[in-house]
Amino acid sequence: MRRGIAATALAASLALAATACGGSDSGDSGDSADGPVTITWWDTSNATNEAPTYQELVKEFEAANKDIKVEYVNVPFDQAQNKFDTAAGAKGAPDVLRSEVGWTPAFAKKGFFLPLDGTEALADQAKFQPSLIEQATYEDKVYGVPFTTDTLALVYNKKLFADAGVEPPTTWDELKTAAATIKEETGVDGYWGSTSAYYAQSFLYGEGTDTVDATAKKITVTSPEAKKGYETWKSLFDGDGLRKANTTAEAYSAIQDAFVNGEVASIIQGPWEITNFYKGSAFADKNNLGIATVPAGSSGEAGAPTGGHNLSVYAGSDASRQEAALKFVNFMTSAKSQETIALKNSTLPTRDDAYTDQVKADPGIAGYQGVLAAAQPRPALPEYSSLWGPLDEELLAIAGDKKSLDEGLSSAETAIQKLVPDFTK
C-alpha cells in the first residue's frame, strides 16, 4: 500500500486540522499507549449483497496494519445521512463514512469532512476518473475518495431487439420507433419509463439544462429547455410499445421485474441492479444484457446523472485516528481492493486500473464502463440532491394525469425556491 506523505508531516497537519475543527468530543478515542488505534467505519452498502465483501477487506487491512483496528458498522443507506449529520454535529461521528456523492457539498460546508488534498488517502488521485474527483470537490478542495460509481443507461434485451431487427436507439425519437417495432414483431412492449425525478434527469441533460443553474443561482425547472425535456419524458408513457406510467409505490420493482423476465425490452437503469438482472429468466445468459448510453435529446447530446459513493474522513476525529483513517481509505480505494469489490459485488470501480480483464469479463460492468463518458457530475450545491424531492411528487402527478405539465413544474419551482431561497426564478 502506498504511504503518501511522511508520517511525521501528516501527523502535524492532522493535528492542525483537528484543532481547527475543535477536536473530537466523542469520548474514548480508541488510542492506547501499548495498543492499536481504533477507528470506526460506517458502511452504507446493502447489508446482504455488498457488506460481506467490505467486511473481508477490513480483515485484510487489519492483518496488514497491526496498529489499527476498524470497527465496522453497517448503517442503512436511507438513515445514514441524517445519522451522520446528527453525530457530526455532536462531534461523535465515525472516522470514515461511505458517503453518497450528493452529500459531499453539505457536509463539507458544515466542516464535517476533512479536506484530503495532499494526504495519503488521495495519494493515487491521478488514477481516478477526473469527473469523479470533481464530484468529490467543494470550493476547490477534495473531501472524498471515489469508492464506487454509477450512472444511468438504456439497458435492453439483445434477443428481443435482434428479433425485431432494431438497433439500440441513440435519440428519444428513435426509442419510440424501436418500441413500436419491437411490439409489432415480438408482441413485447419495447420500453417502460420511470416517474422518478432522478431517472428523468437525462431528459433535461438532453436539452442542455438542469433543474437549477448553480453558477447563475437561477431555478431553471420551468425554462423552455426543461419543459421540452419533460414533454419528451411524458410522451414515452403513451404510444405503441410504450407502457403507461406506474404511479404506485411498487413501480420500481414492477419495472425491474418486467425487464428481467423478458416482459419489456428496455428500461433506464443503473449498475446497482447488475446482479439482479442476471437473476431474471431473460438474462440467464448474461451476454443477452445490452447496455447503451441513454438516448440524446434535441441538443444532440446525451447525459445521465453520476451517482455512487466516496469514502470521506471525519474532520472532528483526533490526529491519530485521522491518520489511521487516511491509511484505511487509501487501502479500500486501491486498484486491488476495487478489483475485488467489482468481482464480488458487480459494482463499478472508480479508477481505470481496476478495470482488469477479469473485471471486464462481466458484461454488465464492461457495458456500464462504456457509458460512463456520458455521466455528468452534479453541481457543488449543498441543496442539490434535495431538489429531486419536490420533483418526485410533481412528476408522479404529471405522469398520472393529475396535473398538467405546466401546473406540476410550477409547483415544483415554488417548492425548490424554498430550498434555495437565494436563487431567482
Side-chain angles (χ1 to χ4, degrees):
M1 180 179 67
R2 294 181 59 179
R3 292 292 175 186
I5 63 179
T8 52
L10 175 61
S13 67
L14 291 178
L16 179 61
T19 301
C21 295
S24 173
D25 296 331
S26 57
D28 184 6
S29 69
D31 301 339
S32 172
D34 57 358
V37 173
T38 298
I39 61 173
T40 301
W41 177 34
W42 279 11
D43 170 30
T44 58
S45 72
N46 182 283
T48 301
N49 297 331
E50 298 179 89
T53 299
Y54 297 138
Q55 291 170 315
E56 287 301 314
L57 284 171
V58 166
K59 293 178 183 177
E60 186 178 329
F61 173 79
E62 289 178 331
N65 297 271
K66 300 294 186 182
D67 57 338
I68 302 174
K69 293 293 182 184
V70 180
E71 181 182 346
Y72 173 90
V73 181
N74 186 268
V75 180
F77 175 77
D78 59 353
Q79 302 173 23
Q81 185 177 13
N82 288 336
K83 279 181 174 289
F84 184 84
D85 195 28
T86 300
K91 298 186 178 179
D95 304 285
V96 180
L97 175 69
R98 179 181 180 266
S99 172
E100 206 273 339
V101 295
W103 304 347
T104 298
F107 286 148
K109 183 178 181 180
K110 290 182 176 182
F112 293 164
F113 283 169
L114 184 74
L116 302 179
D117 307 87
T119 69
E120 180 173 4
L122 210 55
D124 290 344
Q125 179 171 343
K127 301 290 186 180
F128 294 90
Q129 297 171 37
S131 64
L132 302 183
I133 294 294
E134 179 184 345
Q135 183 123 287
T137 300
Y138 178 70
E139 294 188 344
D140 299 323
K141 294 181 180 179
V142 182
Y143 289 93
V145 182
F147 190 42
T148 61
T149 189
D150 61 63
T151 191
L152 296 176
L154 179 75
V155 291
Y156 64 97
N157 186 314
K158 288 183 179 179
K159 184 179 185 303
L160 288 173
F161 270 58
D163 288 347
V166 298
E167 296 292 328
T170 59
T171 68
W172 297 115
D173 285 340
E174 287 181 4
L175 177 58
K176 293 179 184 179
T177 301
T181 302
I182 291 168
K183 181 68 171 180
E184 181 179 359
E185 297 295 331
T186 70
V188 175
D189 287 327
Y191 174 77
W192 198 358
S194 169
T195 66
S196 167
Y198 185 79
Y199 286 77
Q201 193 71 20
S202 290
F203 293 87
L204 297 182
Y205 292 155
E207 301 304 325
T209 191
D210 202 337
T211 51
V212 296
D213 182 336
T215 302
K217 289 193 171 184
K218 181 176 178 61
I219 301 170
T220 54
V221 74
T222 61
S223 68
E225 295 83 4
K227 285 184 180 180
K228 185 172 179 58
Y230 285 126
E231 283 171 356
T232 302
W233 160 81
K234 190 173 188 301
S235 72
L236 285 164
F237 293 118
D238 185 23
D240 293 340
L242 301 171
R243 287 222 181 170
K244 294 188 179 301
N246 186 321
T247 58
T248 71
E250 292 76 35
Y252 183 96
S253 59
I255 294 170
Q256 176 72 11
D257 289 346
F259 176 66
V260 301
N261 291 316
E263 297 168 12
V264 65
S266 67
I267 62 174
I268 301 294
Q269 192 52 281
W272 51 85
E273 290 291 357
I274 288 176
T275 55
N276 289 326
F277 291 150
Y278 298 151
K279 293 176 183 177
S281 59
F283 304 105
D285 176 2
K286 296 180 180 180
N287 291 306
N288 190 41
L289 178 65
I291 300 170
T293 301
V294 294
S298 65
S299 71
E301 298 295 324
T306 305
H309 296 83
N310 302 323
L311 290 185
S312 294
V313 176
Y314 178 42
S317 296
D318 62 44
S320 62
R321 284 162 61 185
Q322 286 184 0
E323 182 178 358
L326 293 171
K327 289 182 180 180
F328 177 65
V329 170
N330 178 278
F331 171 85
M332 291 297 289
T333 58
S334 68
K336 183 176 180 294
S337 294
Q338 289 212 6
E339 179 187 26
T340 298
I341 294 165
L343 291 173
K344 294 188 176 182
N345 292 357
S346 290
T347 53
L348 299 185
T350 56
R351 45 191 296 164
D352 293 336
D353 54 355
Y355 283 93
T356 61
D357 289 342
Q358 191 175 4
V359 169
K360 290 191 291 186
D362 183 320
I365 293 179
Y368 273 101
Q369 183 192 19
V371 305
L372 285 176
Q376 295 196 19
R378 303 176 198 177
L381 178 68
E383 301 86 0
Y384 185 78
S385 294
S386 65
L387 306 184
W388 284 319
L391 278 166
D392 277 334
E393 182 178 344
E394 297 303 329
L395 293 184
L396 190 68
I398 293 167
D401 294 324
K402 304 295 184 182
K403 287 186 177 181
S404 70
L405 182 65
D406 285 342
E407 289 172 333
L409 294 184
S410 178
S411 295
E413 181 184 57
T414 299
I416 290 172
Q417 179 82 73
K418 296 176 181 178
L419 297 172
V420 284
D422 56 334
F423 278 41
T424 61
K425 294 183 180 179

